[in-house]
Amino acid sequence: MPDFKTIADFRRDNGAAIVRVCREFVLLCRRMQMFGDATVAIDGSKFKAVNNRDKNFTDRKLAARMQQVEESIAHYLDELDRADRQPAEVPAVRVAHLKDKLATVRAQAQKLAEIGNRLEAAPDRQVSLTDPDARSMATSGRGTGIVGYNVQTAVDTKHHLIVEHEVTNLGHDRTQLEPMARRTRDVLQGDSLTVLADRGYFSGEQILAASRSASRRWCPSR
């Protein structure tokens, strides 16, 4: 079984070929009349990235991490002050250990400050260190979340074949209805398209944009 790095390298090195294979698959299905009446269902799925949650930063996460570091620095400084006042009670090896710890957390504080500068420049106020494109997203479990991607998929309702897909790093589906439907209709090359989507896609702006598109029929589902 290949590990994630092997799969990631394969996808990176053969991206253009994978896109062409997907296109040929859709063309083959269309020639075989596998798509039924231009009706598709659109939904998003959250996929976890290699980037874990500790390597993802938002303003709130950075502030909490900085507070922890500052508290650690204050603690080590207090211990060193006590060692200065009562040298007989604090062994020299303990003082050396405290100084090493203090240097470590100060270096951490410097790195967090640099991450803060990157957050200031980030349009969505998020920074992921391992996988720069991954983003923190809420999941269905209460108080849970992942750092990953939201993969949008349009599936034919007749044979459940994937017609179109798109990888996004938005944690919600509200802005994806019209773009995904437009891309799907372009792939199917039809005059009209019936789209089924759950309430996570509900957006007045998206519905308005869809209603203004010519030769397009919409069927929202609950």
Side-chain angles (χ1 to χ4, degrees):
M1 177 185 297
D3 63 14
F4 73 91
K5 187 66 167 57
T6 302
I7 297 174
D9 288 344
F10 180 85
R11 184 181 64 246
R12 181 196 62 200
D13 297 339
N14 300 279
I18 293 173
V19 171
R20 288 197 298 270
V21 168
C22 291
R23 186 182 301 119
E24 289 297 324
F25 170 77
V26 172
L27 292 175
L28 175 63
C29 291
R30 197 164 60 209
R31 286 196 298 268
M32 297 177 65
Q33 298 182 343
M34 298 291 287
F35 299 135
D37 300 326
T39 302
V40 298
I42 295 177
D43 204 356
S45 299
K46 307 288 179 59
F47 286 80
K48 187 177 182 299
V50 176
N51 200 115
N52 63 40
R53 297 179 69 178
D54 291 337
K55 297 292 185 179
N56 170 267
F57 291 88
T58 62
D59 289 330
R60 181 180 58 82
K61 290 180 182 178
L62 182 64
R65 196 76 62 85
M66 284 294 294
Q67 182 178 353
Q68 293 174 353
V69 170
E70 289 169 358
E71 290 174 353
S72 296
I73 291 175
H75 170 72
Y76 293 136
L77 287 174
D78 287 342
E79 287 288 308
L80 289 171
D81 287 342
R82 188 171 71 86
D84 290 339
R85 293 192 305 269
Q86 302 169 335
E89 296 185 10
V90 183
V93 67
R94 171 63 177 169
V95 172
H97 176 71
L98 290 171
K99 289 181 178 180
D100 288 341
K101 287 289 189 180
L102 183 60
T104 298
V105 293
R106 280 177 169 166
Q108 291 176 358
Q110 179 62 35
K111 290 180 180 179
L112 291 175
E114 294 171 358
I115 292 172
N117 293 333
R118 293 173 60 182
L119 274 175
E120 290 288 339
D124 59 353
R125 308 288 294 182
Q126 276 200 53
V127 170
S128 294
L129 301 182
T130 307
D131 188 343
D133 293 326
R135 290 294 180 266
S136 179
M137 302 178 181
T139 55
S140 57
R142 185 176 180 181
T144 62
I146 65 168
V147 178
Y149 297 91
N150 183 4
V151 179
Q152 298 290 313
T153 308
V155 179
D156 166 69
T157 57
K158 183 179 181 181
H159 292 107
H160 302 169
L161 298 170
I162 295 176
V163 180
E164 178 64 355
H165 65 276
E166 178 71 8
V167 179
T168 76
N169 56 12
L170 296 174
H172 58 81
D173 300 327
R174 290 187 301 276
T175 58
Q176 299 301 315
L177 179 62
E178 194 276 337
M180 279 301 298
R182 173 167 36 82
R183 291 165 59 94
T184 303
R185 193 187 68 159
D186 290 344
V187 170
L188 293 176
Q189 297 182 354
D191 294 330
S192 65
L193 179 68
T194 299
V195 175
L196 309 176
D198 62 27
R199 62 183 180 181
Y201 286 82
F202 183 83
S203 163
E205 293 180 356
Q206 288 287 297
I207 294 174
L208 181 60
S211 67
R212 288 175 174 173
S213 298
S215 302
R216 194 176 299 175
R217 182 163 59 93
W218 301 90
C219 180
S221 65
R222 299 190 178 187

